[in-house]
Amino acid sequence: MTQIIIIIIIIAILIALSIGLFGMLRGGKTGSNKMFKSLVIRVVLSLSLFIIVMFSAYMDWIEPNIIIMDAFSFQ
């Protein structure tokens, strides 16, 4: 379930990024407002994504991929 939420938030960040791009291409006051709102949405979504990932790792709902390399494995 956590992975689905993370994927949805990443997709929402990409959508907000594309809305900001169209606002930048449009220009003017309406474009500036779209870019500002898009930036606020991206920052909030990115912070929430970071908090969800950290909390999920703390609760052991997700596990990082850790590869421990031995220093003598190359000999």
Side-chain angles (χ1 to χ4, degrees), residues 39-71:
L39 176 64
V40 170
I41 290 171
R42 277 187 314 211
V43 168
V44 169
L45 287 173
S46 297
L47 286 175
S48 64
L49 178 64
F50 180 75
I51 290 169
I52 288 171
V53 168
M54 290 295 124
F55 183 72
S56 298
Y58 175 75
M59 297 297 291
D60 288 333
W61 294 340
I62 59 174
E63 296 178 5
N65 294 332
I66 298 176
I67 300 173
I68 300 174
M69 297 179 66
D70 188 12

Side-chain angles (χ1 to χ4, degrees), residues 6-49:
I6 290 171
I7 290 171
I8 289 172
I9 292 175
I10 290 173
I11 291 171
I13 290 171
L14 292 174
I15 290 171
L17 185 64
S18 64
I19 290 171
L21 173 67
F22 289 130
M24 184 176 66
L25 291 176
R26 172 178 271 184
K29 185 168 175 62
T30 58
S32 178
N33 288 338
K34 277 190 174 185
M35 282 179 43
F36 178 72
K37 289 178 184 177
S38 172
L39 176 64
V40 170
I41 290 171
R42 277 187 314 211
V43 168
V44 169
L45 287 173
S46 297
L47 286 175
S48 64
L49 178 64

